[in-house]
Amino acid sequence: MKKCITLMLALAAVVVFILPAFCQEDITEIKDPAFQTLKRPAVPFMHDEHNEKAGLDGCLPCHHEGMENGEFVEGDPAKCADCHEVAPTDDSTDLKTAYHQQCIQCHEDAAKGPVACGECHVK
Ligand code: HEC
Ligand code: HEC
Ligand code: HEC
Ligand code: HEC
């Protein structure tokens, strides 16, 4: 029994420490550790608030696991850096371009949201 309680406490600790990393509502900025040193200030991005304001109900405009016939294929939310390298050796989309293309293209299409460097990389 004592062993079991110890195990349960250990599991509870794991849940408490790991869970926040997966809660998108806690995301307030993008500061991707994959870049190691940043040339520009981190980008404020209130995940849920942004998507609500922008009227984005689905996850697909952003989260995908690949592309087929020029269209994103829906995928579980994951770190962009899981698939997009900072300096890929093939012709896949690099991490900086992945962020820029996704964020800026939609803002341009919607004619809303920031498109200039300093509007996203806020000092
Ligand atoms: C719509 C928002 C947006 C705009 C506009 C934008 N960026 Fe970014 N940029 C991002 C995001 C998001 C990242 C990933 C941020 C991170 O991890 O720090 C990023 C990453 C970067 C990075 C790689 C990370 C670093 O800091 O070294 C550089 C360099 C960069 N941007 C420069 C620019 C420049 C220069 C412009 C203007 C020509 C620009 N960005 C415009 C959103 C934007
Ligand atoms: C406007 C684009 C956008 C939309 C729409 C969006 N997300 Fe995200 N989401 C992001 C970005 C950007 C990140 C940060 C990715 C990173 O850190 O590499 C993120 C991160 C996450 C994470 C954390 C992933 C991890 O492993 O750290 C979860 C979970 C998540 N989103 C869930 C969702 C769900 C569920 C939806 C749909 C209801 C959704 N998102 C819609 C852009 C979006
Ligand atoms: C599970 C893997 C995976 C994850 C996670 C992922 N991508 Fe991708 N993404 C791909 C693949 C595969 C392609 C197609 C090949 C390529 O362009 O690199 C792609 C293509 C893209 C493209 C190019 C679209 C075009 O029209 O050419 C952009 C932009 C992009 N991803 C942005 C992102 C952003 C931003 C995130 C994080 C919110 C993200 N990706 C997360 C796998 C992924
Ligand atoms: C699929 C469309 C879409 C994508 C992708 C998208 N945005 Fe937006 N974003 C919008 C729209 C629409 C608005 C304007 C919302 C309004 O105020 O009406 C907006 C507004 C913003 C604003 C203004 C403040 C706010 O929260 O309303 C910021 C900052 C922003 N976006 C950052 C980003 C970043 C960083 C990314 C990439 C990680 C991103 N956006 C990706 C559609 C998008």
Side-chain angles (χ1 to χ4, degrees):
M1 191 60 196
K2 203 169 165 210
K3 233 182 189 169
C4 179
I5 289 171
T6 310
L7 184 70
M8 274 165 60
L9 285 176
L11 279 175
V14 165
V15 166
V16 165
F17 282 107
I18 289 184
L19 215 54
F22 293 100
C23 285
Q24 67 272 22
E25 63 261 32
D26 293 335
I27 297 176
T28 56
E29 65 171 9
I30 304 178
K31 189 180 182 180
D32 200 316
F35 290 117
Q36 295 183 335
T37 52
L38 296 177
K39 295 190 195 82
R40 296 266 167 170
V43 177
F45 180 69
M46 312 283 281
H47 189 281
D48 285 8
E49 208 178 290
H50 170 275
N51 296 345
E52 208 172 293
K53 242 191 188 172
L56 306 173
D57 298 327
C59 317
L60 187 57
C62 302
H63 295 291
H64 55 268
E65 57 179 25
M67 293 187 77
E68 230 175 73
N69 307 321
E71 302 272 345
F72 280 146
V73 176
E74 182 147 28
D76 289 336
K79 303 258 175 230
C80 309
D82 284 358
C83 301
H84 295 284
E85 292 173 62
V86 173
T89 49
D90 55 15
D91 63 357
S92 62
T93 305
D94 70 271
L95 188 60
K96 187 176 83 174
T97 304
Y99 280 119
H100 283 165
Q101 196 170 318
Q102 181 159 93
C103 307
I104 296 168
Q105 197 160 300
C106 181
H107 293 164
E108 281 178 353
D109 291 348
K112 268 185 188 168
V115 293
C117 314
E119 292 176 304
C120 280
H121 297 282
V122 188
K123 286 209 188 78

